[in-house]
C-alpha cells in the first residue's frame, strides 16, 4: 500500500500551515493522508489469477476471483486487490462511508487494474432491421439509475472513431449506416442500452471473429471518507469518471485512463496524490475534464472546499478526437461559492493538437498553484470566481512552456472577475511557439491587485509577427485595477519585434514597477503600448528614458535567457 512517508507528511503539514497563515484554508485531507492503511488488515481479498469466487475472501489464500463476487459493502470495509490482477466491472458503493481499496502482494508487480470495458459476445449481435450495415446488441449498464452514460466501443482493441450522439434514433442510424467504424447508442429506461455498430470493414460481428468490448461499468464509485490507493482504472461508462469518491476522501498512486465524460471526481476536502490522469481519445466530441470536484446538492459540476492535488500528472496523448476542449482540473457551481483548491507540483502536458486548459473554474474563494510544469496548454490558469465575494489566486514556481502553436491559445493566466488579487511569482514562461496572446490577461471587473514578481518571460520564437505580450487586458476594469511589476526578467532570442510589455487600456493604476531587467538579443526589443503611458523601448532606446522614469532601478541590456528555459 502506497503511503506518504514522514518527510512528505511533514511537508504537507508545513505547507498547510503556511497556506493557512496566508489566508488559504488548511486542507482537512492533509491530516488524513498521514494515516496510511495497514496492508494486512483488509477485510476482503480478491485475486484474478489464483482466487475463487466460492471462497469467503477473508484471507489472501481464500481470495475471491472477480469483483462480481463482492458481498454488500458496509461502512469501513477494506478491500485488497492482488497486484498483477486484472478485473472487469467495478466496485460500486456510493452510499457507504470509509471504504478503503488498496493493493497487496509482491511490491514489484504491476498495480491491480479495474476496467469498465466488458466483452460483448459476438453471437449476441443482430442485424438492425431496415439498415444495410448496422448490427446491434443489447447491453446491461452498471450505473446508478438516471446517470448520464458515455459509451466507448472497441473492435479488437481499436476504438470506433465515428459516432452519432445527438438527435433522434432515426438520424443516428442514418449516420452510422453510411459511415464505417462508427456507432450510436440508445439508453433505455430499464438500465440497459442498445449499441449500434457499423464495423470498419462492414463485416458482421457474428462472423468476423473479432473481439468486441464496450464500456458498460464504472471501475470505482465510493462515498465519503474513502481511500483508493495503488490501482489503475480505465473505460468508465459513467459521467463521473473512472474513480469517483465523496467528501474528505484520498486517492493516491492511481492511474485513471479514459474516464466517461470525466476521469476523476472528488467531493469537498479531497486529496489526489501522485496520480496519473490520461486521456487518449473521446468519441463524443464534448468537453472532457480529467479531474473534477463536485459539490453535494448541486445539479451541476461543482467545486472543492480546501481540496488538494499534489504530484499528479495530467496528459492528453494521441489526441485524434475532435473534442471541443479539455480541462485537466475544473471546479465550479451554479449556487453559492466554494472554498480553496491547492495544486502542488503537478505536470500538465498536451500534444498541442486541440484546445487544452490546465486549471479552470469559477465560484471559489481561492486557488493556489505551487510549482509544477505546463506544456502546450491553451490556458494554464483561468479561474473566474464569478459569484464569490472575493477570489485570490496565487501562482508560485510554475514553469510554462509553449513549443508549438496551440489552438485557441490566448493567454496563460487570467485574473479573477470579482474583488481580490492575482499574484504570479517565481515562474518561468518560455514561449517557443507562435503564440498570439499575452502571458497574463487582466479581466477583472471589480477592484483587483495584480502582483507579478521574480518571474522570467522568455520568447524564443523567430517570427517577425510574434504578438507576445506580458500584460494585456479586456478593458473591463481600468481604474480599479492596480498592477505591481517587480524583479522580473523579460528576454527574447529573436531579432524582431515581439509586441508589448504592457498592452493596456487607458486608466490602469501602475503601482510599484521596480528592478526589472529587459534583455532583447538585438533589434527592436520591447515596447510598452502607448494606449496607457506612451512609455516604451524601441530599437534605438529613444523611449527608454521615459520608461525608466517609471520602472525604477531597472536595466536594458543585450542577451537572452534561453538557458533558464531548458
Amino acid at each position: 500500500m502506497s503511503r506518504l512517508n514522514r518527510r512528505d507528511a511533514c511537508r504537507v503539514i508545513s505547507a498547510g500551515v503556511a497556506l493557512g497563515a496566508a489566508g488559504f484554508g488548511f486542507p482537512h485531507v492533509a491530516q488524513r493522508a498521514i494515516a496510511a492503511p495497514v496492508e494486512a488488515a483488509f477485510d476482503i481479498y480478491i485475486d484474478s489469477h489464483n482466487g475463487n469466487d466460492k471462497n469467503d475472501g477473508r484471507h489472501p489464500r481464500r481470495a475471491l476471483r472477480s469483483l462480481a463476487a463482492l458481498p454488500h459493502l458496509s461502512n469501513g470495509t477494506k478491500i485488497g486487490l492482488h497486484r498483477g490482477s486484472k478485473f472487469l466491472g467495478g466496485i460500486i458503493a456510493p452510499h457507504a462511508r470509509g471504504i478503503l481499496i488498496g493493493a497487496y502482494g509482491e511490491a514489484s508487480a504491476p498495480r491491480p487494474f479495474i476496467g469498465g470495458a466488458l466483452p460483448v459476445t459476438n453471437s449476441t449481435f443482430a442485424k438492425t432491421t431496415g439498415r444495410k450495415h448496422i448490427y446491434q446488441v443489447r447491453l446491461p449498464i452498471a450505473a446508478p439509475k438516471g446517470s448520464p452514460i458515455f459509451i466507448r466501443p472497441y473492435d479488437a482493441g481499436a476504438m470506433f472513431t465515428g459516432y452519432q450522439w445527438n438527435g433522434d434514433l432515426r438520424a443516428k442510424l442514418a449516420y452510422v449506416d453510411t459511415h464505417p467504424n462508427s456507432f450510436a447508442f440508445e439508453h433505455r429506461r430499464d438500465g440497459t442500452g442498445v449499441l449500434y455498430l457499423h464495423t470498419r470493414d462492414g463485416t458482421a460481428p457474428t462472423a468476423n471473429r473479432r473481439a468486441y468490448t464496450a464500456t458498460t461499468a464504472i471501475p470505482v464509485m465510493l462515498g465519503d471518507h474513502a481511500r483508493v490507493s495503488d490501482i489503475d482504472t480505465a473505460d468508465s461508462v459513467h459521467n463521473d469518471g473512472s474513480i469517483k469518491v465523496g467528501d474528505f476522501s484520498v486517492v493516491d498512486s492511481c492511474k485513471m485512463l479514459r474516464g466517461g465524460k470525466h476521469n476523476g471526481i472528488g467531493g469537498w476536502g479531497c486529496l489526489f496524490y501522485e496520480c496519473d490522469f490520461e486521456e487518449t481519445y473521446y468519441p463524443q466530441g464534448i468537453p472532457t475534464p480529467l479531474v473534477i470536484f463536485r459539490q453535494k446538492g448541486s445539479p451541476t459540476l461543482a467545486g472543492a472546499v480546501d481540496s488538494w492535488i499534489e504530484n499528479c500528472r495530467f496528459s492528453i496523448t494521441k489526441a485524434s478526437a475532435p473534442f471541443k476542449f479539455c480541462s485537466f482540473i475544473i471546479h465550479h457551481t451554479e449556487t453559492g461559492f466554494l472554498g480553496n483548491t491547492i495544486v502542488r507540483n503537478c505536470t500538465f502536458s498536451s500534444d498541442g493538437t486541440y484546445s487544452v486548459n490546465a486549471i479552470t473554474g469559477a465560484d471559489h474563494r481561492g486557488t493556489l498553484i505551487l510549482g509544477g510544469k505546463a506544456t502546450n496548454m491553451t490556458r494554464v490558469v483561468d479561474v473566474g470566481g464569478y459569484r464569490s465575494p472575493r477570489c485570490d489566486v496565487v501562482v508560485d514556481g510554475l514553469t510554462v512552456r509553449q513549443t508549438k502553436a496551440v489552438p485557441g491559445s490566448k493567454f496563460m493566466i487570467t485574473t479573477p472577475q470579482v474583488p481580490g488579487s492575482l499574484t504570479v511569482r517565481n515562474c518561468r514562461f518560455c514561449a517557443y511557439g507562435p503564440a498570439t496572446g499575452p502571458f497574463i490577461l487582466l479581466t477583472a471587473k471589480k477592484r483587483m491587485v495584480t502582483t507579478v514578481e521574480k518571474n522570467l518571460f522568455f520568447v524564443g520564437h523567430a517570427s517577425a509577427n510574434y504578438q507576445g505580450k506580458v500584460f494585456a487586458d479586456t478593458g473591463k476594469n481600468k481604474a480599479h485595477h492596480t498592477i505591481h511589476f517587480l524583479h522580473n526578467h523579460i528576454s527574447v532570442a529573436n531579432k524582431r519585434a515581439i509586441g508589448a510589455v504592457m498592452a493596456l487600456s487607458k486608466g490602469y493604476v501602475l503601482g510599484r514597477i521596480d528592478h526589472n531587467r529587459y534583455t532583447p538579443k538585438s533589434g527592436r526589443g520591447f515596447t510598452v503600448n502607448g494606449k496607457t503611458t506612451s512609455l516604451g523601448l524601441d530599437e534605438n532606446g529613444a523611449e527608454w528614458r521615459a520608461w525608466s522614469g517609471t520602472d525604477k532601478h531597472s536595466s536594458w541590456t543585450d542577451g537572452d535567457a534561453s538557458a533558464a528555459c531548458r
Side-chain angles (χ1 to χ4, degrees):
M1 175 71 66
S2 173
R3 62 176 298 164
L4 303 181
N5 59 36
R6 183 180 297 275
R7 182 187 63 184
D8 290 336
C10 291
R11 179 165 49 80
V12 169
I13 290 178
S14 298
V17 171
L19 296 176
F24 283 81
F26 181 79
H28 307 284
V29 295
Q31 303 172 60
R32 295 194 69 243
I34 302 167
V38 179
E39 184 171 289
F42 291 121
D43 301 312
I44 302 173
Y45 295 83
I46 313 177
D47 184 342
S48 68
H49 298 297
N50 302 307
N52 190 317
D53 285 346
K54 295 182 180 180
N55 293 336
D56 62 11
R58 299 296 179 181
H59 188 276
R61 294 181 181 177
R62 303 193 303 275
L64 302 175
R65 187 178 185 85
S66 69
L67 301 181
L70 273 172
H72 174 76
L73 300 180
S74 57
N75 292 344
T77 301
K78 299 178 178 63
I79 303 167
L81 307 180
H82 192 268
R83 289 188 177 90
S85 290
K86 294 185 177 180
F87 302 99
L88 297 178
I91 301 175
I92 312 300
H95 303 296
R97 296 166 58 91
I99 299 294
L100 184 150
I101 301 174
Y104 73 96
E106 184 62 41
S108 60
R111 290 186 297 222
F113 170 83
I114 304 178
L118 276 66
V120 181
T121 305
N122 291 56
S123 61
T124 59
F125 282 92
K127 188 72 179 292
T128 301
T129 303
R131 300 294 171 179
K132 186 176 181 180
H133 299 291
I134 300 179
Y135 295 84
Q136 66 184 66
V137 63
R138 189 78 168 261
L139 299 174
I141 303 298
K145 186 176 180 180
S147 298
I149 300 301
F150 295 86
I151 295 292
R152 296 173 189 259
Y154 296 87
D155 182 336
M159 188 178 294
F160 282 76
T161 56
Y163 66 93
Q164 187 64 26
W165 197 253
N166 298 316
D168 60 26
L169 183 59
R170 181 178 298 181
K172 294 178 182 179
L173 297 184
Y175 171 89
V176 174
D177 208 17
T178 56
H179 291 76
N181 202 38
S182 65
F183 74 97
F185 183 72
E186 179 189 10
H187 193 196
R188 300 287 178 85
R189 293 182 178 179
D190 61 359
T192 65
V194 180
L195 179 63
Y196 300 91
L197 300 180
H198 183 169
T199 61
R200 60 177 181 259
D201 55 5
T203 59
T206 52
N208 62 25
R209 297 185 179 181
R210 295 199 296 266
Y212 289 87
T213 57
T215 51
T216 62
I218 308 167
V220 176
M221 178 181 283
L222 305 176
D224 298 342
H225 299 281
R227 175 77 183 267
V228 184
S229 182
D230 280 322
I231 68 169
D232 293 345
T233 64
D235 297 313
S236 176
V237 73
H238 192 250
N239 179 69
D240 289 350
S242 296
I243 296 180
K244 179 183 179 181
V245 292
D247 297 346
F248 308 113
S249 297
V250 175
V251 180
D252 68 283
S253 303
C254 294
K255 182 175 183 178
M256 284 151 270
L257 175 65
R258 299 187 306 271
K261 180 180 177 182
H262 312 300
N263 218 348
I265 293 277
W268 288 5
C270 286
L271 169 67
F272 283 83
Y273 184 78
E274 292 191 350
C275 292
D276 289 279
F277 298 85
E278 292 186 14
E279 190 62 59
T280 58
Y281 183 88
Y282 191 69
Q284 273 74 61
I286 58 179
T288 60
L290 297 195
V291 58
I292 289 183
F293 294 103
R294 178 186 292 278
Q295 179 187 21
K296 272 189 174 180
S298 171
T300 62
L301 303 180
V305 173
D306 297 340
S307 289
W308 191 298
I309 306 168
E310 180 166 0
N311 291 353
C312 292
R313 293 158 293 278
F314 300 83
S315 64
I316 291 284
T317 58
K318 301 178 181 177
S320 59
F323 49 70
K324 297 176 182 177
F325 66 87
C326 173
S327 293
F328 285 143
I329 299 174
I330 186 170
H331 40 86
H332 90 103
T333 181
E334 300 225 347
T335 57
F337 59 91
L338 306 171
N340 306 309
T341 299
I342 299 166
V343 181
R344 183 185 179 99
N345 294 334
C346 294
T347 60
F348 307 89
S349 63
S350 164
D351 63 5
T353 306
Y354 295 99
S355 179
V356 180
N357 302 332
I359 304 167
T360 63
D363 307 317
H364 58 289
R365 293 196 301 270
T367 297
L368 175 64
I369 296 96
L370 293 173
K373 184 177 181 179
T375 303
N376 291 333
M377 296 289 102
T378 301
R379 301 173 184 177
V380 178
V381 182
D382 182 15
V383 286
Y386 302 106
R387 281 177 289 272
S388 302
R390 179 181 177 88
C391 182
D392 297 284
V393 178
V394 177
V395 184
D396 192 336
L398 178 68
T399 296
V400 179
R401 291 175 59 87
Q402 294 289 89
T403 63
K404 60 186 296 185
V406 178
S409 182
K410 300 300 182 184
F411 52 85
M412 295 293 98
I413 296 175
T414 181
T415 56
Q417 298 194 32
V418 297
S421 65
L422 169 66
T423 301
V424 182
R425 61 187 177 221
N426 303 316
C427 296
R428 293 185 296 172
F429 297 86
C430 306
Y432 293 95
T436 58
F439 290 112
I440 299 172
L441 182 67
L442 310 179
T443 64
K445 298 178 181 179
K446 304 290 184 180
R447 190 170 300 279
M448 174 67 57
V449 176
T450 295
T451 302
V452 179
E453 60 180 339
K454 298 181 180 179
N455 303 288
L456 167 66
F457 300 94
F458 173 73
V459 177
H461 193 261
S463 172
N465 298 318
Y466 188 89
Q467 295 298 312
K469 305 174 183 68
V470 175
F471 285 107
D473 75 301
T474 58
K476 303 291 186 181
N477 186 14
K478 302 180 182 179
H480 296 291
H481 199 144
T482 302
I483 301 170
H484 303 295
F485 194 62
L486 307 167
H487 298 276
N488 298 288
H489 185 183
I490 307 173
S491 177
V492 298
N494 61 67
K495 298 181 179 181
R496 304 283 184 166
I498 68 157
V501 176
M502 294 186 183
L504 304 177
S505 302
K506 185 177 180 181
Y508 275 83
V509 178
L510 296 181
R512 296 177 59 203
I513 302 180
D514 202 353
H515 284 93
N516 298 297
R517 183 186 180 199
Y518 306 90
T519 56
K521 186 171 183 179
S522 60
R524 177 165 295 185
F526 298 89
T527 62
V528 177
N529 195 302
K531 292 181 181 179
T532 303
T533 61
S534 297
L535 302 176
L537 298 88
D538 62 17
E539 59 184 312
N540 300 314
E543 297 183 45
W544 169 244
R545 289 185 297 277
W547 176 242
S548 63
T550 300
D551 195 350
K552 307 290 185 182
H553 309 104
S554 296
S555 61
W556 185 36
T557 59
D558 288 344
D560 68 73
S562 57
C565 278
R566 293 188 184 125

